[in-house]
mmCIF file of all heavy atoms in Angstrom:
data_model
loop_
_atom_site.group_PDB
_atom_site.id
_atom_site.type_symbol
_atom_site.label_atom_id
_atom_site.label_comp_id
_atom_site.label_asym_id
_atom_site.label_seq_id
_atom_site.Cartn_x
_atom_site.Cartn_y
_atom_site.Cartn_z
ATOM 1 N N ASN A 34 98.292 105.989 103.610
ATOM 2 C CA ASN A 34 98.575 107.530 103.663
ATOM 3 C C ASN A 34 99.219 107.893 104.946
ATOM 4 O O ASN A 34 100.260 108.575 104.947
ATOM 5 C CB ASN A 34 97.354 108.393 103.340
ATOM 6 C CG ASN A 34 97.177 108.405 101.795
ATOM 7 O OD1 ASN A 34 98.001 108.950 101.158
ATOM 8 N ND2 ASN A 34 96.047 107.826 101.362
ATOM 9 N N GLN A 61 87.803 107.381 112.487
ATOM 10 C CA GLN A 61 88.015 108.645 111.748
ATOM 11 C C GLN A 61 86.760 109.486 111.526
ATOM 12 O O GLN A 61 86.792 110.636 111.202
ATOM 13 C CB GLN A 61 88.684 108.283 110.293
ATOM 14 C CG GLN A 61 87.767 107.918 109.203
ATOM 15 C CD GLN A 61 87.413 106.393 109.296
ATOM 16 O OE1 GLN A 61 87.428 105.771 110.281
ATOM 17 N NE2 GLN A 61 86.881 105.809 108.140
ATOM 18 N N THR A 74 90.095 112.414 107.337
ATOM 19 C CA THR A 74 91.086 111.604 106.822
ATOM 20 C C THR A 74 92.415 111.620 107.685
ATOM 21 O O THR A 74 92.668 112.499 108.504
ATOM 22 C CB THR A 74 91.519 112.061 105.351
ATOM 23 O OG1 THR A 74 91.942 113.483 105.403
ATOM 24 C CG2 THR A 74 90.402 111.847 104.426
ATOM 25 N N LEU A 75 93.150 110.514 107.514
ATOM 26 C CA LEU A 75 94.450 110.319 108.172
ATOM 27 C C LEU A 75 95.598 110.331 107.056
ATOM 28 O O LEU A 75 95.331 109.758 106.046
ATOM 29 C CB LEU A 75 94.503 109.090 109.058
ATOM 30 C CG LEU A 75 93.512 109.280 110.215
ATOM 31 C CD1 LEU A 75 92.762 108.024 110.518
ATOM 32 C CD2 LEU A 75 94.257 109.849 111.475
ATOM 33 N N PRO A 76 96.693 110.804 107.310
ATOM 34 C CA PRO A 76 97.149 111.434 108.588
ATOM 35 C C PRO A 76 96.745 112.816 108.844
ATOM 36 O O PRO A 76 96.197 113.516 107.996
ATOM 37 C CB PRO A 76 98.682 111.475 108.379
ATOM 38 C CG PRO A 76 98.789 111.749 106.934
ATOM 39 C CD PRO A 76 97.673 110.988 106.250
ATOM 40 N N GLU A 88 96.851 116.841 105.237
ATOM 41 C CA GLU A 88 97.239 116.243 103.913
ATOM 42 C C GLU A 88 98.720 115.918 103.996
ATOM 43 O O GLU A 88 99.500 116.738 104.583
ATOM 44 C CB GLU A 88 97.029 117.244 102.845
ATOM 45 C CG GLU A 88 95.565 117.376 102.322
ATOM 46 C CD GLU A 88 95.147 116.109 101.470
ATOM 47 O OE1 GLU A 88 96.013 115.595 100.725
ATOM 48 O OE2 GLU A 88 93.954 115.855 101.568
ATOM 49 N N ASN A 89 99.146 114.827 103.479
ATOM 50 C CA ASN A 89 100.615 114.440 103.553
ATOM 51 C C ASN A 89 101.475 115.504 103.072
ATOM 52 O O ASN A 89 102.495 115.879 103.690
ATOM 53 C CB ASN A 89 100.805 113.184 102.620
ATOM 54 C CG ASN A 89 100.840 111.949 103.531
ATOM 55 O OD1 ASN A 89 101.724 111.729 104.347
ATOM 56 N ND2 ASN A 89 99.806 111.127 103.295
ATOM 57 N N GLU A 124 101.448 109.441 93.673
ATOM 58 C CA GLU A 124 100.162 109.517 94.346
ATOM 59 C C GLU A 124 98.928 109.304 93.445
ATOM 60 O O GLU A 124 98.097 108.467 93.650
ATOM 61 C CB GLU A 124 99.970 110.790 95.036
ATOM 62 C CG GLU A 124 98.720 110.978 95.807
ATOM 63 C CD GLU A 124 98.695 112.091 96.825
ATOM 64 O OE1 GLU A 124 99.719 112.808 97.042
ATOM 65 O OE2 GLU A 124 97.730 112.219 97.614
ATOM 66 N N ARG A 136 88.778 100.102 96.714
ATOM 67 C CA ARG A 136 87.547 100.716 97.252
ATOM 68 C C ARG A 136 86.307 100.578 96.488
ATOM 69 O O ARG A 136 85.148 100.765 96.884
ATOM 70 C CB ARG A 136 87.799 102.194 97.475
ATOM 71 C CG ARG A 136 88.943 102.450 98.542
ATOM 72 C CD ARG A 136 89.057 103.864 99.005
ATOM 73 N NE ARG A 136 88.013 104.192 99.948
ATOM 74 C CZ ARG A 136 88.206 104.536 101.250
ATOM 75 N NH1 ARG A 136 89.498 104.596 101.747
ATOM 76 N NH2 ARG A 136 87.253 104.879 102.075
ATOM 77 N N ARG A 145 81.707 103.592 100.714
ATOM 78 C CA ARG A 145 82.791 104.427 101.212
ATOM 79 C C ARG A 145 83.948 104.371 100.155
ATOM 80 O O ARG A 145 85.113 104.293 100.530
ATOM 81 C CB ARG A 145 83.360 103.833 102.659
ATOM 82 C CG ARG A 145 82.364 103.801 103.735
ATOM 83 C CD ARG A 145 82.197 105.242 104.301
ATOM 84 N NE ARG A 145 83.428 105.884 104.663
ATOM 85 C CZ ARG A 145 83.572 107.249 104.713
ATOM 86 N NH1 ARG A 145 82.616 108.075 104.228
ATOM 87 N NH2 ARG A 145 84.739 107.690 105.028
ATOM 88 N N PRO A 148 87.503 108.327 100.645
ATOM 89 C CA PRO A 148 87.561 108.728 101.955
ATOM 90 C C PRO A 148 87.080 110.115 102.211
ATOM 91 O O PRO A 148 86.861 110.884 101.277
ATOM 92 C CB PRO A 148 89.139 108.744 102.282
ATOM 93 C CG PRO A 148 89.758 108.088 101.095
ATOM 94 C CD PRO A 148 88.773 108.151 99.890
HETATM 95 N N1 LIG B 3 95.590 112.978 100.093
HETATM 96 C C1 LIG B 3 95.479 112.513 101.516
HETATM 97 C C2 LIG B 3 94.857 111.169 101.502
HETATM 98 C C3 LIG B 3 94.336 110.779 102.933
HETATM 99 C C4 LIG B 3 93.601 109.533 102.848
HETATM 100 O O1 LIG B 3 92.773 109.264 101.929
HETATM 101 N N2 LIG B 3 93.709 108.709 104.002
HETATM 102 C C5 LIG B 3 92.921 107.545 104.145
HETATM 103 C C6 LIG B 3 93.779 106.355 104.719
HETATM 104 S S1 LIG B 3 94.899 105.753 103.587
HETATM 105 C C7 LIG B 3 91.737 107.823 105.014
HETATM 106 O O2 LIG B 3 91.826 108.711 105.914
HETATM 107 N N3 LIG B 3 90.665 107.020 104.934
HETATM 108 C C8 LIG B 3 89.494 107.142 105.769
HETATM 109 C C9 LIG B 3 88.307 106.388 105.253
HETATM 110 O O3 LIG B 3 88.541 105.549 104.390
HETATM 111 O O4 LIG B 3 87.269 106.777 105.640
HETATM 112 C C10 LIG B 3 96.861 112.611 102.176
HETATM 113 O O5 LIG B 3 97.800 112.641 101.538
HETATM 114 O O6 LIG B 3 96.871 112.679 103.401
#
Side-chain angles (χ1 to χ4, degrees):
N34 280 296
Q61 79 281 19
T74 56
L75 292 142
E88 282 285 324
N89 262 292
E124 181 160 4
R136 297 191 77 115
R145 295 288 307 153

